[in-house]
Amino acid sequence: MRMIIEAGEEGIFQSELWKRLGINSREGSRLSLRFERRGLIRRERALYKGRWTYRLISKRKNVSLRSIADCPCLLCDDIDKCYEGGTVSPISCERLTEWILLLAKRDGMRSP
Ligand code: SF4
């Protein structure tokens, strides 16, 4: 799974993965079908070196700390008092809500 995740959005051809893992195509096919059934990957039919095969693409993404670098909570003076029912709460915090809405707007702009 790590190799598939590291292959990113482009994924990895299954034959390439079998070669790297040192397993045969029968074992490899069983493995990729198991990953697909568990919802960990999607398989896309693709032409590779003149043959039809599958490209394996992870549904999981590597998470980067950069994605939360500008979260207001990281520099908030009230973080010790912030919890559900506390003096301040993430449920009603305007700064957190604005940040989440900004992320949603950015993600929306990235989607086709
Ligand atoms: S939710 Fe709001 S109040 Fe709570 S830690 Fe984050 S920024 Fe601070």
Side-chain angles (χ1 to χ4, degrees):
M1 248 335 275
R2 185 172 42 80
M3 287 182 192
I4 300 172
I5 291 171
E6 285 173 358
E9 290 292 321
E10 284 189 22
I12 184 169
F13 289 107
Q14 60 179 19
S15 56
E16 189 60 37
L17 184 63
W18 311 159
K19 200 187 307 175
R20 285 201 214 167
L21 291 172
I23 60 176
N24 63 39
S25 61
R26 187 179 168 153
E27 291 171 309
S29 293
R30 276 195 210 142
L31 188 65
S32 67
L33 287 171
R34 198 178 316 145
F35 285 159
E36 188 179 39
R37 273 197 302 271
R38 291 183 183 178
L40 301 172
I41 64 166
R42 65 174 201 274
R43 298 186 322 142
E44 286 183 2
R45 202 154 182 255
L47 203 55
Y48 179 62
K49 294 182 178 175
R51 290 182 159 202
W52 284 103
T53 181
Y54 285 96
R55 187 189 292 271
L56 309 178
I57 302 162
S58 174
K59 289 184 175 179
R60 292 183 179 176
K61 309 285 180 227
N62 274 332
V63 177
S64 158
L65 285 179
R66 238 180 289 147
S67 63
I68 60 163
D70 56 352
C71 174
C73 304
L74 297 178
L75 297 173
C76 181
D77 292 334
D78 295 327
I79 196 159
D80 293 337
K81 299 176 246 163
C82 185
Y83 50 89
E84 195 175 342
T87 313
V88 286
S89 164
I91 295 169
S92 57
C93 177
E94 285 183 27
R95 284 179 292 162
L96 184 61
T97 301
E98 281 172 23
W99 180 71
I100 291 169
L101 290 173
L102 186 65
L103 288 182
K105 192 173 172 185
R106 275 192 225 150
D107 279 355
M109 290 168 76
R110 270 187 242 140
S111 298

